[in-house]
Amino acid sequence: MYDTEGVDSVATITELRSGTSDLIDHVRNTKSGVLIQKNNEPHAVLISWETYKAVKEKVDLDDL
C-alpha cells in the first residue's frame, strides 16, 4: 500500500469517469484533494481551482 500524504479521498479511474461532477463538488466543498488511482496505483490528484491557485502562488510548479 502507498501513503496518501494527507489526501482524504481515493477514487478509481472508473469512478472518475462515471462521477466526475460529484468528485468536483467534493473537492470544492471539502477543500481536500481526491487521489485518482489507475490499476491500484496513485496517478493524479484532483483539487479545486481555488486550491490550485493557492498552491501555485506559493510554489513554482516548474521547479518540481
Side-chain angles (χ1 to χ4, degrees):
M1 193 63 165
Y2 48 85
D3 182 8
T4 59
E5 298 183 31
V7 177
D8 296 329
S9 301
V10 178
T12 65
I13 289 289
T14 302
E15 291 169 325
L16 178 63
R17 286 183 187 130
S18 66
T20 304
S21 182
D22 290 339
L23 290 171
I24 290 171
D25 288 344
H26 175 77
V27 299
R28 290 186 73 202
N29 293 331
T30 64
K31 297 187 178 17
S32 178
V34 174
L35 176 65
I36 306 299
Q37 294 185 125
K38 181 178 179 184
N39 299 323
N40 292 321
E41 294 291 327
H43 277 262
V45 175
L46 178 66
I47 58 174
S48 71
W49 177 245
E50 294 302 319
T51 301
Y52 173 78
K53 290 191 304 185
V55 168
K56 189 136 172 78
E57 284 181 11
K58 294 182 180 188
V59 176
D60 184 354
L61 299 178
D62 291 332
D63 289 341
L64 299 177

